Amino acid sequence: MKTKMTTILVDDEPLARQLLKEYLQDFPDIRIVGECRNGRQAIKAINEHRPDLVFLDIRMPGMDGFEILEHLTYVPHIIFSTAYGDYALKAFEMNAVDYLLKPYDRRRFSRAVQKAIARRSASAGDIDRIVELMQQSKEPGEFPERIFVRVGRKITPVQVRDILWIEAEEDYSLIHASSGAHLCNLSLNALEKRLNPSHFMRVHRSHIVACNSIEHLSGDGEGGFVAVLKDGSKVKVGRTYAPKIRQIVW
């Protein structure tokens, strides 16, 4: 499944951020999730949103672009954007995707973005293959204690005991756990086969719930049911699955 690339714009000059937004209109698959005018804002936004790509100015009041990178718990792909050419060597030593020297035109900007897209695609493919191998690394007949997911360029385990419910997301699945929502490279059908049926139940063609996360059932107003989970989530129950889940809840 193709997902949009996310980006954050970091520059103390409003006009510079406006130009980035204008040029990014040529790339509808890139979504801006934040704008920052200083280092403090940038650190908070990048660590929180974990974007795929950051356009980062170097000289800003209070904290420069390199100092920002030192405070990140998550390091995305970086395109430096600056009016000063004497930092280029240091930028590439830090594995920057590109170094845009202001003023730059739309064509130069486009080349930099294409590099970022190519690098993201290559690294994502490699990580997905590693995730797939890790999902398979269990003894036959054994139910896994964790499911591996890709978060940016990192592989993170989700403890099965923390999973509340799972929903289909095209050929993938979205795991809702106490730690948050995580996109998994396994389909809902594949996950159903891996999870212990004593602890997890298919309640809809697009939903699986953890049995111990169900608080109660309520009517949906259309003759069907909704499973209300302990965290307040409401999950649609398909009519063909309703009799089985009623036996457990009632």
Side-chain angles (χ1 to χ4, degrees), residues 205-216:
R205 60 185 177 84
S206 300
H207 302 145
I208 294 172
V209 298
C211 298
N212 64 3
S213 72
I214 302 173
E215 185 71 37
H216 64 270

Side-chain angles (χ1 to χ4, degrees), residues 65-82:
F66 297 115
E67 290 174 313
I68 290 172
L69 297 182
E70 294 174 0
H71 290 82
L72 298 181
T73 59
Y74 165 81
V75 181
H77 295 302
I78 300 291
I79 293 178
F80 284 103
S81 173
T82 179

